[in-house]
Amino acid sequence: MIKLERINKTYYSGAPLHVLKGIDLHIGKGELVSIMGASGSGKSTLLNILGILDNYDTGNYYLNDVLIKNLGETRAAHFRNKLIGFIFQSFNLINFKNAMENVALPLYYRKVGRKTRNRMAVEYLDRLGLKDWAHHMPNELSGGQKQRVAIARALISKPQIILADEPTGALDSKTSAEVIQILRDVNREGMTMIIVTHESGIANLTDKIIRLRDGVIERIDDNSGHDASRFNPDNIK
Amino acid sequence: MFDLDRWNEIFVTISRNKTRSFLTAFGVFWGIFMLIALLGGGNGLEKLISGQFEGIASNSCFFWSGRTSEAYKGFRKGRYWRMNNKDVEIIRANVKGLEVIAPMLSTWANSDNVVRGEKKGTFSVQGNYASYNKIDNHKMMFGRYLNDIDLKEHRKVCVIGSRVYETLFNRGEDPLGHDIRIDGVYFKVIGVGEGGDNISFGDDKRNSITMPLTVMQRIYNYGDRVDILCAMAQPGIAVSEIHQQIETILKANHSIAPHDKQAVNSFNLETMFSQVAGLFTGVKLLAWIVGFGTLFAGIIGVSNIMMVTVRERTQEIGVRRALGARPSSIMGQIMSESFTITAMAGFLGISFGVLVLQMVDLGLSKDAGETTVFQIDFYTAIVSATIITCMGTLAGLGPAFRAMKIKPIEALSEE
């Protein structure tokens, strides 16, 4: 599904910063994986590369057996739209569009007709229990509701993988648990999901934990028993 | 390109900051309004002034005598001389490229010199050739202008101006064939000229009476005297050519020094026409420069505001990019926004400009009875609309490129 081979990435703003130092990674279809690491460990950069938002310098990235390398902006946009669903910490809803229009946006860029995509958007909102909120603007929604709208938006394009960057970072613990539960449910339906987080409690709910440190993979923990939290003092639960 | 969603989006973004959009649009509106108003005003002025020349052949020149300024062939300087019928003959026989030569006599009116029954009035009298009509075309309200037989047979006939008709005849009365008394001699009215506010020699055409030159010379005891010589060049011949020839002949005939600059007065309509035409070319050029400059300032304003908008919407654009918006789609969005603001304001400005010109024109026409003059033509309007459309699109180009360069990661990391 996802195969990274010796990925290197250096930023050249000011002094050269070697952020990713030869990442090798394999993530299979339907896995629920979390990426953990301190700030500066390169986890955001890794996520950007996985999400085709950023280029890498050397190595190979295969997504669905397609080599994703040095794509033009237009092709990158095409792949993002088709293969990847994004969930952000700060939701990133467009604040002058209502919930339904926000959810329907990826389909707009896929040139789906207005009626069809709005109907689909309402369906997805319904699945996330937000049908009654379809015509509300983002500023009329709570944080948890906003993130659920964002999840619906990530799902509507039926992507191959979902990338979630600190999906619970802006939410209280109760809503966090709800949102994670939704993500787990989605994963159970077969969706490959990668969650970047620094909360070990969240990471503990995933099946595999990838620990990054200073641009290299320090360790990959198999967490199918969901018992990683035992070894961590900063547990949220 | 034309889908409802995009237009809806454009409308939403424009109306999100109404004051700013309005002020930006106003810059463009004012620019195009200035352009239209200046062009229309220039047009109107040109038509008003060129209306004065209507009916006058532009390839003509006129001569009248003055005092000599040089002694020559035994004559002292400061001598006054007169043109006569012989000059006309010689000029007609010798000047190459001459189409028409028409001598003219004119008198200023004595008080109540024209009488018909109880009615009387003061009007100036001119003696003309029939061919003068080719140089200064008389529009006839009734009847006809003089013809060659009138001159040859010395018929006592006359063409009267419209005011003369109004003074001597009752409203609606047929003047043709009636006699009027001019300076004691009876003349038959053969035509009534409309006259207008054209340029003319002597009095206003409406206030003057024209009779055959040959008759006037006899009745007023002028002998073979001629006051003014009117000449028209053949098509394709420059007026200055015949002008030079005629002047030379006149000087030779009347023993005037060849280099005497004051003895022969003349007036070349062609030069005057080209000066006036040059003036209006200048006015038009100025109108385009000023109008276009103002418009350009407005367009720069649009471009500027679009830059700000792009800056403000960085995060939104980043989200769109992450969700799969192609760069071209972002670019298209920004450009159509700039295009919409410019086009809407521009078309409104054109319409408003046309409306104002029309009102000016209406106000003017009431007292002058003119046809539409203070207006731009359809072609100019189309050109202006095209300029607006192109500039609106161009104004969006810079901001659109900036928007296109926004990388999703940079935009998303900006909170």
Side-chain angles (χ1 to χ4, degrees), chain A residues 48 53-54 73-74 77 80-81 86 88 90 92 94 96-97 105 108-109 111 114 117 153, chain B residues 3 5 9 12 16 315-316 319-327 329 407-409 412 415:
Chain A
N48 286 337
L53 293 168
D54 206 349
E73 287 290 352
T74 306
R80 280 199 293 270
N81 184 266
F86 288 98
F88 304 97
S90 51
N92 277 327
I94 292 175
F96 59 90
K97 287 177 174 291
L105 202 56
Y108 171 68
Y109 290 119
K111 305 210 185 320
R114 184 187 179 82
R117 63 170 198 263
R153 185 175 67 182
Chain B
D3 67 304
D5 294 292
E9 207 137 278
V12 168
R16 247 195 307 172
Q315 188 246 1
E316 178 210 325
V319 174
R320 286 171 184 273
R321 291 292 305 277
L323 294 180
R326 289 187 314 275
S329 131
K407 284 216 184 280
I409 36 168
L412 293 173
E415 300 289 314

Side-chain angles (χ1 to χ4, degrees), chain A residues 143-174:
Chain A
Q145 286 171 326
K146 281 186 204 169
Q147 197 58 300
R148 279 190 279 164
V149 171
I151 293 171
R153 185 175 67 182
L155 290 175
I156 197 166
S157 58
K158 298 197 176 70
Q160 297 290 317
I161 52 171
I162 287 200
L163 300 177
D165 188 5
E166 305 271 9
T168 58
L171 302 175
D172 60 55
S173 56
K174 185 167 168 289

Side-chain angles (χ1 to χ4, degrees), chain A residues 107-121:
Chain A
L107 296 182
Y108 171 68
Y109 290 119
R110 208 179 267 186
K111 305 210 185 320
V112 176
R114 184 187 179 82
K115 274 191 185 146
T116 318
R117 63 170 198 263
N118 282 349
R119 184 175 47 75
M120 284 179 73

Side-chain angles (χ1 to χ4, degrees), chain B residues 221-259:
Chain B
N221 283 325
Y222 285 151
D224 61 355
R225 166 183 156 184
V226 168
D227 290 339
I228 300 167
L229 269 180
C230 316
M232 184 169 118
Q234 282 170 1
I237 305 277
V239 176
S240 53
E241 274 181 43
I242 62 162
H243 184 274
Q244 194 53 47
Q245 293 180 57
I246 292 169
E247 194 171 323
T248 313
I249 289 171
L250 286 175
K251 282 175 175 170
N253 282 354
H254 296 278
S255 306
I256 299 165
H259 301 294

Side-chain angles (χ1 to χ4, degrees), chain B residues 109-122:
Chain B
N110 303 316
S111 80
D112 288 342
N113 58 340
V114 183
V115 182
R116 177 180 178 250
E118 302 279 290
K119 299 181 174 182
K120 53 192 171 186
T122 308

Side-chain angles (χ1 to χ4, degrees), chain A residues 14 32 37-38 80 104 112 130 132 140 174 177 206 218:
Chain A
L32 174 57
R80 280 199 293 270
V112 176
L130 284 172
D132 297 339
E140 297 163 340
K174 185 167 168 289
T206 63
E218 188 187 30

